[in-house]
Amino acid sequence: AQSVTQPDIHITVSEGASLELRCNYSYGATPYLFWYVQSPGQGLQLLLKYFSGDTLVQGIKGFEAEFKRSQSSFNLRKPSVHWSDAAEYFCAVGGGNNNDMRFGAGTRLTVKP
Amino acid sequence: NAGVTQTPKFQVLKTGQSMTLQCAQDMNHEYMSWYRQDPGMGLRLIHYSVGAGITDQGEVPNGYNVSRSTTEDFPLRLLSAAPSQTSVYFCASKTRPDNSPLHFGNGTRLTVT
C-alpha cells in the first residue's frame, strides 16, 4: 500500500520568513497527493492537491507545492509566513481509485513574532 | 451547507462499554470514511464505504464495525471499548472523481478508562 513520510515533526519559523515542509511518498504509479492543514480542535482543511499535469500546484492561503517524481516528494512551500499559519500540516497520498488515502504523521508549525 | 457532522464531540467510556460515533453528510457524497488520529501517527484509516450497502476495511479496522444503510450516514461502532481506542476520530467524505479531496468533520474525542 502507499505510504507517506513527513520527516519534520515540528518546525519553527519567524513571521515573514519562507517555509518549506517536506513530504515523501511511496507508491508505484502516479499518486494523488494532497496537503491538509489542521488548526487546534478542528478537522482538516484541504490546501492543495496534485494528480496530473503541471507539477507546481497552487493552493489556498498562498501555499504551493511541487511534485518531483524522481525524488518521490511533494514539498509544501510558502514565501512569507503569517502568524495565522501556525497549525499542523498533513501530507496525504492516494493510489489507484483513491479509496485508501494514507496520511503522514504531520508537521507542527510554530510561527515566531 | 453543514458538510460533515460528527456527534458527539467528546465521549468518555469505561473499558468494555459500547457506543456508536455518528457521522452524517449532506453533500450527497458516495464515499465516506473513518480515521483515527493519534499523536505522532497522523491519521489512520479504519473503515470506508464507496456507497450505500458497501463497506471495506482500512489500515486499522480491528475493534470497530461500520454499516452504510443510507448515502448520508456512516456510523462507527465500538462493541467493547478498550483503552487503546482512546483517540480523536474523524469522519470524512468525498465525491467522484477519484482525485477528489476528502471533506472532514470536526472530530470526536474519545477517552476509554
Side-chain angles (χ1 to χ4, degrees):
Chain A
Q2 59 272 22
S3 65
V4 177
T5 301
Q6 292 181 247
D8 304 304
I9 297 173
H10 184 207
I11 284 182
T12 299
V13 300
S14 298
E15 191 169 16
S18 64
L19 171 70
E20 182 169 29
L21 302 182
R22 295 183 291 165
C23 171
N24 294 98
Y25 70 90
S26 173
Y27 184 65
T30 300
Y32 301 117
L33 293 163
F34 306 84
W35 274 101
Y36 288 86
V37 60
Q38 183 182 34
S39 298
Q42 301 295 313
L44 280 70
Q45 179 186 20
L46 178 71
L47 285 176
L48 46 78
K49 67 176 183 179
Y50 170 82
F51 59 95
S52 68
D54 192 348
T55 56
L56 184 64
V57 293
Q58 302 297 320
I60 62 171
K61 305 185 181 186
F63 285 93
E64 65 178 26
E66 186 171 13
F67 170 60
K68 293 186 177 180
R69 184 189 303 275
S70 61
Q71 299 177 17
S72 296
S73 69
F74 188 56
N75 294 349
L76 182 71
R77 301 193 294 249
K78 186 169 186 178
S80 178
V81 170
H82 188 262
W83 64 266
S84 60
D85 293 324
E88 188 147 25
Y89 292 80
F90 291 93
C91 182
V93 60
N97 54 19
N98 200 24
N99 288 333
D100 183 1
M101 191 181 297
R102 299 294 176 100
F103 285 78
T107 298
R108 185 162 62 90
L109 174 66
T110 298
V111 180
K112 294 191 303 184
Chain B
N1 190 349
V4 179
T5 303
Q6 292 184 237
T7 55
K9 293 189 189 309
F10 301 94
Q11 184 70 50
V12 179
L13 291 178
K14 295 186 187 302
T15 298
Q17 287 184 318
S18 63
M19 80 158 296
T20 299
L21 307 185
Q22 301 292 345
C23 176
Q25 53 92 8
D26 62 359
M27 298 173 284
N28 202 31
H29 286 173
E30 296 182 0
Y31 176 96
M32 296 185 73
S33 57
W34 278 100
Y35 285 84
R36 59 176 290 172
Q37 182 179 25
D38 302 292
M41 304 191 74
L43 283 81
R44 292 180 293 168
L45 182 64
I46 304 172
H47 286 286
Y48 66 91
S49 167
V50 298
I54 306 169
T55 63
D56 208 344
Q57 296 182 348
E59 190 180 358
V60 289
N62 292 341
Y64 307 95
N65 284 347
V66 292
S67 60
R68 184 94 179 269
S69 56
T70 67
T71 299
E72 294 78 18
D73 300 298
F74 191 44
L76 179 71
R77 297 183 185 84
L78 286 71
L79 297 180
S80 179
S84 61
Q85 294 179 304
T86 293
S87 186
V88 180
Y89 291 85
F90 286 98
C91 180
S93 70
K94 71 181 177 79
T95 185
R96 294 177 180 265
D98 294 333
N99 58 22
S100 299
L102 290 171
H103 297 256
F104 284 87
N106 284 334
T108 295
R109 183 174 295 275
L110 176 67
T111 302
V112 183
T113 61

